[in-house]
Amino acid sequence: MFNYNIKYTVENTYENPVFEAFWQYLVIPLNNETQQLISSEFKTSVDSRIEKSINGYNFETARIHCKKPFESIQFEAVFKVVKTEAAPLKNIENLNDEDDFKALNDLDFKIDFYSYLNGTSLTTLPEQYSGIYLFDTTKSVIENVKLLNAWVYTHLYYKTEVTAVDTSLAEIIEKRHGVCQDFTHLFCAIARKNKVPARYVSGYLHQGNGFFGDSQMHAWVEVFVPHMGWIGFDPTNNILTDHNHIKVSHGKDYNDCAPLKGVLYSTGENQTKYEVEVTYQQ
């Protein structure tokens, strides 16, 4: 068992006063079979209530609606989470390679996973790179996905402040630098091109083992492998996800999982500073 403490903070400052604003924070750890959210605490610097709600993907959010003028806002969330170790590939030796690829071409399968088989503006390979990585049908689906994880890890170089959340795949492939969201978008695009459902995952990474990540939230991939289910891969670190990965949400790409979204009434420039701390005791 791993007992995590997670602290998420964000500060927004504005050039001119904000007269009314709405924010949605998608930062609350998920309860699932490998992690349990024990407690959550929120506070903000503005005079407004923090309310919870459920978004369109059925993930819990924290929302603020502020009607009083302000020039900056601080938001802080603290979570306690218990994680258990998972072994998603323990039955890999019993898989039938031919049946797995046959399942990918089944019409019902394509309908069931339609949302995660089709590209978005951030997860569609440019035409000139449509064949950048093709699966080897003499290997199992899970072996192909593991090889793809390693390929993305070696194709891109982790580097901060060279891309943004809306950087195109063409630019990422050509410049070969980026952060976790870029690794994840490229992985999703290639998996979907090869008919394997893939979803973008947002969450927290404990970096105690020297994993790549920055001071913000982390991103990785979940792929659906026939006869196995959803399996997590972290192409930024070339590993399967484990107890160090604390999931918050998933979607088709970053836009579905953005930690912070807002609508405000103001003019001028603004700045946003994020910070995430993840510590644990075993």
Side-chain angles (χ1 to χ4, degrees):
M1 304 289 280
F2 302 86
N3 299 294
Y4 285 92
N5 292 306
I6 302 163
K7 183 178 180 181
Y8 171 93
T9 58
V10 58
E11 179 178 6
N12 289 356
T13 56
Y14 301 91
E15 182 179 1
N16 299 310
V18 176
F19 297 99
E20 184 174 5
F22 303 83
W23 287 278
Q24 174 183 280
Y25 297 88
L26 187 53
V27 297
I28 303 172
L30 183 67
N31 273 307
N32 62 25
E33 62 275 14
T34 64
Q35 67 180 45
Q36 181 181 7
L37 177 61
I38 303 301
S39 66
S40 56
E41 298 178 3
F42 306 95
K43 59 182 180 181
T44 180
S45 62
V46 298
D47 183 14
S48 181
R49 292 179 59 188
I50 298 175
E51 299 179 333
K52 291 184 178 180
S53 65
I54 304 298
N55 72 2
Y57 282 87
N58 206 33
F59 295 108
E60 192 172 41
T61 67
R63 293 189 174 188
I64 299 174
H65 178 195
C66 185
K67 300 179 181 179
K68 297 181 179 179
F70 63 90
E71 295 181 353
S72 68
I73 174 176
Q74 293 83 42
F75 174 83
E76 179 181 292
V78 177
F79 307 106
K80 292 184 182 297
V81 175
V82 174
K83 290 277 298 188
T84 56
E85 195 67 87
L89 303 185
K90 61 182 179 182
N91 295 322
I92 188 172
E93 67 275 7
N94 298 324
L95 299 178
N96 184 309
D97 303 351
E98 187 175 344
D99 286 348
D100 285 354
F101 275 103
K102 189 181 297 183
L104 296 181
N105 291 300
D106 182 80
L107 179 58
D108 288 339
F109 183 89
K110 293 178 180 179
I111 294 173
D112 289 344
F113 296 99
Y114 176 84
S115 296
Y116 301 109
L117 284 169
N118 289 278
T120 65
S121 60
L122 295 172
T123 58
T124 297
L125 287 173
E127 184 61 31
Q128 66 270 31
Y129 296 116
S130 61
I132 193 172
Y133 190 98
L134 299 176
F135 279 14
D136 180 352
T137 56
T138 66
K139 295 182 171 64
S140 68
V141 173
I142 188 63
E143 283 300 319
N144 273 285
V145 176
K146 289 170 64 178
L147 291 170
L148 172 60
N149 199 44
W151 183 87
V152 174
Y153 172 76
T154 56
H155 184 79
L156 298 183
Y157 299 93
Y158 186 86
K159 188 174 183 180
T160 60
E161 300 181 353
V162 295
T163 58
V165 294
D166 57 353
T167 299
S168 70
L169 268 185
E171 184 176 342
I172 293 167
I173 293 170
E174 291 163 7
K175 294 186 175 180
R176 301 188 63 178
H177 287 91
V179 294
C180 56
Q181 69 214 18
D182 305 312
F183 285 72
T184 301
H185 283 151
L186 180 57
F187 187 118
C188 286
I190 293 174
R192 294 172 187 173
K193 188 70 178 179
N194 286 277
K195 304 179 180 179
V196 176
R199 57 193 188 192
Y200 183 106
V201 181
S202 175
Y204 302 100
L205 174 66
H206 176 248
Q207 299 180 43
N209 292 324
F211 296 137
F212 285 112
D214 54 31
S215 59
Q216 301 181 26
M217 294 182 72
H218 192 53
W220 60 90
V221 186
E222 288 177 345
V223 296
F224 190 91
V225 179
H227 310 110
M228 293 185 69
W230 290 103
I231 307 294
F233 288 86
D234 182 349
T236 309
N237 294 288
N238 191 22
I239 57 174
L240 276 80
T241 57
D242 59 16
H243 64 83
N244 291 292
H245 297 76
I246 300 139
K247 180 175 177 177
V248 169
S249 65
H250 65 246
K252 297 184 294 296
D253 60 24
Y254 172 85
N255 291 327
D256 288 339
C257 302
L260 173 61
K261 291 182 178 179
V263 177
L264 54 85
Y265 298 94
S266 182
T267 59
E269 301 293 326
N270 68 85
Q271 291 185 331
T272 302
K273 294 180 180 178
Y274 299 92
E275 187 170 342
V276 172
E277 296 178 10
V278 181
T279 58
Y280 88 103
Q281 293 180 324
Q282 188 172 5

